[in-house]
């Protein structure tokens, strides 16, 4: 299941991050990679608000589809 | 000399700290990516004392710890002033934020290049304590550079609010560096921090953290697991990070799919209404109509007549310098109120949400929400706005953003809007907001056009960190206001004053350097007359309008001051309904003139910034040509259609206008076709 289909407010584990290497590397530095936890906080204005390691990020649909959950 | 570099994640408070310890007032905002270039300044004298003063909590390690106990509270100041002063000059370098040493965007690369290439004596790594784990990833990379490092643990108040506790002493021991808890906003702990930094600088080396897998292919992963161990050892979590916070609830309203945009519109409208019709507008009206129009000129004229100064010199000073600069300075209160309110809004953390709300709309034109940040910054000045485009990763998106950002009316354009709306549309509050609505429409349409003219393969991915909301600081807003006011006054008393003197000379003298009776025989009039014919299809008759537009390219405020000088023959104040401006423009043409000056290429300084950021002269030429065409076409359409609809007759220059309009459309269609044909065979 992709993050874009996740249920709001539930702690999930990342199975895989797809997409161009540059973006994957960037997400990795934020702590968004295989085996880490992620929570979808809300879906706002077409963007996905996620909690990763104590911080909040807004990511667009394309990126949310590239993050696969366990 | 000791060189201290400030490094850390975006929005961790580097520039706030930099301002506090150097006394500078660099641009600060509560969103990631405000600082996009490195800034340098000397450490303030009060921070140069070597001793620990006992203020704040310093958790030292190793040699630094010993130092702390040696000095204590006693002999603090004094032993370091005097002869050693110069030798011990301390430079502080503020760097753009970065999440790691492997840069994702170009401003992150600036930080990387500095810490790895210019070997500072000591690094202050600012950590947002509320995102400790993420921050430590970058910290462990910085520790490997063998440059003494001191951690400034910032935003502990947020940590405590979450019910978390960080064992600072343990962390300092594990990382083998000093850690100082600071509150950059209030200045707490900063003396301890700078003392620790200066002491550490003498150490010359920095032990690197040891973890399995360093230098291997899976280094990033191994580093992350090391960072996790560190965090688990020192951070006690009182609350789950995934619980819904107040910020999350606010986000659901202000970044709402439907209400997000209207809320943003309402907030901006309120800010401009308060600045322009409220206190700022009232004070500006007083300065313009009374102080700079009557009191000061009358007093100075009276003084000069009494002492018998040559009338020409009197005219230069009163009409040229005071009239021109006064016309601009009169708008100072308006600009101060505006920037005060904008600083409050920026400090709250709302601006990152605006990027989220706008992302959808920008996606349609091949951009992303990231392009909103340069445009918000551009409401102050286009130059930092254009530079803020560095936070955009995709090159094409960056170029388009640079071309579109100057369409946002900057602070220097506000006096033009204020002048024309006071003279031609008194009491009508729609003029100001309409400029921003038109700017928004032009950005969308301009973006669509650019997307169709140039072969853009936009890869727009959007990700932005959302800082927690906080109560805006009054002190911060006042200091940002002061920064803007200072810049405005400096500009008015240098570049605008010089330009006004020049304008006065050019309209007083003919080419043969004789004083002219009729200004239309002056140097300025002949220069204005050269481009005046080009402006006839736009409904602007006479050399004055042309001259004002030309001087506007030096600085946009000059449009106002040039009118003040060339129309000074009249006794009526420039900014009134009886202004001599009404002889030059019909209200429709006045609106078009406003549009023309707002949406043609920006001032030369901003064009310089475009040149530096856009990547090549070819793109600069395209950008300027595009901006000129957009502004010209829109002003022409407003004059021609407006005159026909509102006054029921054709405007002057209707036939050339029609010809020009058709040619522009034809060129546009040709360029779009050409792009389609090119991109089809080679496209994906």
């Amino acid at each position: 299941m992709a993050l874009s289909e996740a249920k709001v407010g539930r702690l999930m584990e990342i199975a895989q991050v797809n997409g161009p290497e540059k973006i994957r590397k960037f997400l990795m530095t934020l702590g968004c990679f295989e085996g880490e936890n992620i929570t979808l906080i809300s879906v706002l204005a077409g963007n996905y608000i996620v909690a990763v390691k104590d911080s909040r990020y807004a990511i667009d649909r394309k990126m949310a589809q590239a993050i696969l959950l366990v | 000399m000791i060189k201290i570099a400030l490094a850390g994640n975006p929005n961790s408070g580097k520039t706030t700290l930099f301002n506090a310890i150097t006394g500078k007032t660099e641009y600060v905002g509560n969103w990631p990516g405000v600082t996009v270039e490195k800034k340098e300044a000397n450490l303030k004298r009060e921070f140069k004392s070597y001793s620990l003063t006992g203020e704040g909590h310093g958790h030292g390690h190793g040699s630094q710890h010993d130092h702390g106990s040696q000095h204590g509270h006693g002999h603090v100041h004094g032993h370091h002033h005097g002869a050693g002063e110069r030798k011990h000059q301390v430079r502080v370098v503020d760097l753009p934020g970065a999440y790691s040493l492997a840069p994702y965007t170009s401003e992150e690369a600036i930080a990387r290049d500095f810490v790895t290439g210019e070997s500072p004596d000591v690094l202050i790594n600012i950590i947002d304590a509320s995102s400790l784990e993420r921050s430590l990833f970058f910290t462990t990379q910085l520790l490997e550079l063998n440059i003494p490092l001191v951690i400034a643990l910032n935003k502990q108040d947020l940590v405590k609010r979450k019910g978390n506790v960080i064992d600072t002493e343990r962390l300092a021991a594990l990382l083998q560096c000093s850690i100082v808890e600071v509150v950059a906003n209030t200045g707490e702990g900063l003396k301890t921090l700078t003392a620790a930094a200066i002491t550490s600088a003498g150490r010359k080396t920095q032990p690197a953290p040891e973890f399995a897998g360093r230098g291997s292919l899976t280094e990033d992963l191994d580093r992350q697991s090391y960072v996790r161990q560190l965090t688990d050892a020192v951070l006690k979590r009182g609350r789950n990070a995934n619980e819904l916070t107040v910020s999350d609830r606010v986000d659901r309203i202000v970044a709402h799919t439907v209400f997000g945009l209207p809320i943003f519109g309402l907030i901006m409208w309120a800010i401009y209404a308060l600045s322009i019709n409220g206190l700022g507008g009232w004070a500006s009206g007083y300065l313009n109509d009374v102080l700079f129009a009557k009191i000061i000129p009358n007093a100075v004229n009276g003084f000069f007549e009494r002492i018998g100064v040559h009338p020409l010199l009197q005219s230069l000073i009163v009409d040229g310098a005071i009239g021109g600069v006064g016309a601009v300075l009169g708008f100072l209160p308006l600009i101060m109120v505006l920037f005060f309110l904008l600083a409050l809004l920026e400090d709250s953390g709302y601006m990152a949400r605006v990027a989220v709300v706008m992302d959808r709309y920008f996606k349609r034109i091949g951009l992303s929400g990231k392009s909103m940040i340069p445009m918000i910054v551009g409401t102050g000045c286009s130059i930092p706005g254009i530079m803020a485009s560095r936070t955009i990763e995709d090159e094409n998106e960056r170029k388009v953003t640079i071309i579109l950002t100057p369409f946002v009316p900057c602070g220097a354009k506000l006096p033009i809007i204020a002048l024309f709306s006071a003279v031609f549309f008194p009491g009508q509050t729609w003029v100001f907001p309409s400029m921003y609505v038109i700017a928004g429409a032009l950005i969308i349409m301009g973006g669509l056009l650019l997307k169709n003219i140039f072969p853009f393969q936009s890869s727009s991915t959007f990700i932005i960190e959302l800082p927690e909301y906080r109560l805006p600081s009054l002190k911060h807003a006042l200091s940002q206001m002061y920064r803007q006011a200072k810049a405005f006054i400096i500009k008015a008393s240098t570049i605008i004053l010089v330009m006004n003197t020049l304008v006065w000379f050019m309209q007083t003298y003919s080419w043969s350097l004789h004083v002219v009776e009729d200004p239309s025989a002056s140097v300025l009039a002949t220069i204005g007359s050269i481009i005046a014919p080009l402006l006839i299809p736009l409904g602007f008759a006479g050399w004055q309008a042309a001259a004002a537009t030309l001087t506007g390219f030096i600085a946009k405020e000059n449009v106002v001051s040039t009118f003040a000088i060339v129309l000074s023959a009249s006794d009526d104040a420039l900014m009134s309904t009886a202004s001599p401006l009404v002889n030059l423009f019909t209200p429709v043409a006045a609106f078009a003139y406003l549009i023309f000056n707002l949406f043609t290429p920006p001032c030369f300084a901003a064009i310089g910034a475009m040149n530096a950021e856009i990547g090549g002269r070819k793109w600069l030429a395209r950008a300027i040509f595009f901006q000129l065409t957009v502004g010209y076409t829109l002003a022409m359409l407003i004059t021609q259609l407006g005159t026909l609809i509102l006054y029921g007759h054709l405007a002057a220059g209707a036939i050339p206008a029609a010809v020009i309009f058709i040619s522009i459309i034809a060129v546009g269609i040709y360029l779009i076709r050409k792009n389609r044909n090119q991109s089809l065979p080679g496209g994906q």
Side-chain angles (χ1 to χ4, degrees), chain A residues 54, chain B residues 56-59 127-132 153-168 179-184 186 188-189 234-240 245 468:
Chain A
D54 302 311
Chain B
H57 320 276
H59 296 282
I127 289 186
D128 174 350
S130 64
S131 350
L132 181 70
L153 200 60
N154 196 17
K155 303 193 190 179
Q156 275 275 42
D157 45 333
L158 286 178
V159 177
K160 283 167 191 155
R161 208 200 291 167
K162 279 182 184 165
N164 295 350
V165 183
I166 297 173
D167 184 348
T168 317
I179 300 183
V180 182
E181 288 184 25
V182 299
V183 185
T186 61
E188 202 182 307
V234 299
L235 174 69
K236 254 192 283 175
R237 283 197 170 87
R239 205 169 71 193
N240 198 326
T245 62
E468 248 183 275

Side-chain angles (χ1 to χ4, degrees), chain B residues 177-248:
Chain B
C177 68
S178 305
I179 300 183
V180 182
E181 288 184 25
V182 299
V183 185
N185 276 332
T186 61
E188 202 182 307
L190 296 187
K191 280 192 177 154
T192 318
L193 175 71
T194 48
I198 291 167
T199 313
S200 299
R203 214 169 57 198
K204 305 283 182 208
T205 61
Q206 174 65 52
E210 287 302 327
F211 60 91
R214 192 140 72 88
S216 73
L217 274 173
T218 55
E219 184 183 296
D220 279 356
L221 265 176
D222 296 323
R223 188 184 300 280
Q224 283 287 10
S225 62
Y226 170 67
V227 165
R228 149 137 315 171
Q229 285 167 26
L230 274 176
T231 315
D232 288 345
V234 299
L235 174 69
K236 254 192 283 175
R237 283 197 170 87
R239 205 169 71 193
N240 198 326
N242 311 309
E243 273 175 40
L244 220 55
T245 62
V246 179
S247 277
D248 294 329

Side-chain angles (χ1 to χ4, degrees), chain B residues 143 242 302 309 348-349 356 403 419 430 444 452 469 485 606 625 649 666:
Chain B
L143 284 167
N242 311 309
V309 164
S348 72
V356 175
I403 298 175
L419 174 67
W430 55 269
I444 298 286
N452 282 297
Y469 288 102
F625 180 74
H649 64 82

Side-chain angles (χ1 to χ4, degrees), chain A residues 10 13 15 18 34 40 48 51 64 70:
Chain A
R10 193 173 294 172
E13 195 188 318
N18 295 324
E34 197 183 320
L40 181 61
Y48 293 73
V70 173

